[in-house]
Amino acid sequence: MKWFRRKRKLKPPEERKIVPDGLWQKCEGCGEILYRKELERDLFVCKKCGYHFRIGSKEYIKILLDGELKEQDTTITTTDPLHFDGYVKQIKETQEKKGLKEAVVTGEGEIGGFEVEFAVMDFGFRGGSMGSVVGEKVKRAILRAIEKKIPLVIVSSSGGARMQEGILSLMQMAKTGSALAELEKARIPYISILTDPTTAGVMASYSSIGDIVISEPGALLGFAGPRVIEQTIKQKLPEGFQRAKFLLEHGFVDTIVDRKELRDTVITILRFLLQKK
Amino acid sequence: MLGFVLDFERPIVELEKKIEELKMLADSEHLEVKDEIQRLEKKANHLRKNIYSRLNRWQRVRLARHPDRPYLLDYIKYFITDFIELHGDRLFADDPSIVAGIGKFRDRSIVIIGHQKGRTTKEKIRRNFGMPHPEGYRKALRIMKMGAKFGIPIVTFVDTSGAYPGIGAEERGQAEAIARNIKEIATLPVPILTIITGEGGSGGALAIAIADRILIMENAIYSVISPEGCASILWRDASKSSKAAEALKLTANDLLDLKVIDGIISEPLGGAHRNKEGAAALIAEEIDRFLKETEDFDANELVRERLNKFYKMGIFNGN
């Protein structure tokens, strides 16, 4: 009777969709059939179970910013430094399919009237992986925040460093981390927003060490991927392992905020940190 | 003499054995085989040069992981005096997969930090095969900060397959520990030298590899992912590691080409594991050089240059 007790499980990360399309959408959390237009109005959160669908950089810009993003560094593009088999083709195909140049979009925008330096990652672009371009753009965003003396807000979603750029991807962790050290010394606020999933090289460089770390509910967050851990320790991982609540309980996330309240929460925090009424 | 021999090392090891036997025989029977021994030694030397100058990337990986390769505690014995190991992160526990301490290098105080793998099965388990937990990285940072407080230079030794992927490591914030180390070490106001002595395994290596000068030993590697991990992701087949090692460009020469490291420390012919003392002497020379060159350091300049060094890393089109 094992089948009878089987609980509905979330699909593994790589099988979950980013921004559902079509007229109807099945909730990946509870199985409810949702009307697409309504789902969009609800910021891609299931009205029945609260499951937060994965969304992309364009959606987060709409949700968080007052208006448009003044995008920066659009001219730096990905190359193939290691001559890695198939990499050029993969990047080109992803760019065409997703209408994005890389896994992060950066620039200036306003949130509740506060000017911020904003970076938002896109899990849909090769798993939000960080290669030379992502690292460079994030570094430049951090340095612009220092130069303009405006707070930094980063929305992360990433599987980690990009394998196809090898050691250069690893060095982007050092690059972005170094820039954060300068940000710290300049006493510029940094709000890090973690979304599903943020792991490995990105979590282990800039995402996990904001002045304030916010997570969306249910997001998978951590260093090693669950499958790697299972293979290493040769046992099943407990329910909820590496989910947002797990990190909150272990002291690595300040607060878990529903997508609907995300913008207001960021505004409240900015108002506090900048000591404005 | 050697406990573990890699396939491509075998011809050399066999020849060396033959020479040894011949020498023993010559001694006991008072035979004149001097010419023959000389001939074979010449041949062995030739063979060594031939084999070790033509290693492919996967062979380098296996040398980097050679179980007889010297580890941090071996090197400390060769060139550090008055070494005192310092334990614990003051938060959770001591992590034996990272050794941290203070000591004298040719009469100069230095802080020493590095991964430590085990030699025997028991020690391997105790040191978790050189794969640190968050408390290891936090201990490293704590001791490095102490060094910075008193203006003492730091030397780190990197040799890990990676940070440990386990339940406890995640519960205690492996990602946060690595991120914090990178950020904090980036602006420590003392000279920092990193030497990659064996495996430079991704974030687990980087967490103690933020430095003013990064050197790598001839047969060491530094990579964002293990060849096995890369192969299983790309081709769902970990046995294609050799192909993955080629693609990842993880050898000392590759890293120099990619401007990720500042220099290569050559190893005695046949690799560090075949002449530990010789390898230690070559490392000591580099530590000496670094300490001399940074003797009159200006903290602000040092940190500025360190930040710029990492800001420049990466290859992309446009600006």
Side-chain angles (χ1 to χ4, degrees), chain A residues 47-234:
Chain A
K47 61 178 177 183
K48 196 176 163 211
C49 73
Y51 173 79
H52 283 52
F53 283 80
R54 286 181 181 170
I55 53 174
S57 50
K58 284 176 193 141
E59 285 76 22
Y60 277 111
I61 289 170
K62 255 192 245 165
I63 291 169
L64 288 168
L65 297 190
D66 297 349
E68 301 277 297
L69 177 80
K70 233 196 286 160
E71 203 186 333
Q72 301 280 357
D73 299 318
T74 52
T75 54
I76 55 175
T77 54
T78 306
T79 173
D80 182 19
L82 303 192
H83 309 291
F84 205 99
D85 194 24
Y87 185 44
V88 173
K89 199 170 148 234
Q90 287 167 2
I91 289 291
K92 228 181 136 205
E93 279 175 5
T94 311
Q95 285 171 334
E96 279 162 17
K97 206 169 138 201
K98 302 283 172 182
L100 293 161
K101 281 184 185 149
E102 252 296 348
V104 73
V105 175
T106 57
E108 288 86 44
E110 284 189 12
I111 303 180
F114 295 111
E115 201 191 354
V116 298
E117 190 61 45
F118 189 71
V120 53
M121 303 187 74
D122 232 300
F123 192 73
F125 196 100
R126 304 217 60 77
S129 58
M130 173 162 67
S132 297
V133 168
V134 170
E136 182 68 16
K137 286 175 86 170
V138 170
K139 174 200 89 181
R140 290 186 189 188
I142 298 169
L143 297 183
R144 273 197 306 274
I146 298 171
E147 197 191 327
K148 298 187 162 203
K149 297 192 173 67
I150 52 173
L152 172 72
V153 177
I154 301 182
V155 181
S156 296
S157 60
S158 171
R162 188 173 295 165
M163 192 170 66
Q164 290 84 349
E165 290 183 37
I167 193 72
L168 294 172
S169 297
L170 189 73
M171 290 306 125
Q172 304 314 305
M173 294 171 66
K175 181 194 264 182
T176 53
S178 297
L180 284 184
E182 283 212 80
L183 190 80
E184 170 94 32
K185 295 224 182 301
R187 298 177 189 228
I188 303 290
Y190 165 31
I191 300 172
S192 176
I193 300 169
L194 311 176
T195 73
D196 185 53
T198 305
T199 58
V202 166
M203 192 66 173
S205 56
Y206 54 85
S207 302
S208 60
I209 50 172
D211 292 305
I212 308 273
V213 181
I214 302 172
S215 174
E216 283 195 346
L220 179 81
L221 311 166
F223 177 67
R227 257 189 313 174
V228 175
I229 299 173
E230 280 186 344
Q231 278 166 15
T232 308
I233 62 172
K234 299 190 171 54

Side-chain angles (χ1 to χ4, degrees), chain B residues 18-28 33 37 41:
Chain B
K18 207 164 148 192
I19 295 169
E20 279 304 305
E21 279 169 10
L22 213 55
K23 276 182 179 164
M24 294 242 291
L25 192 76
D27 285 348
S28 60
V33 284
I37 289 172
E41 269 178 349

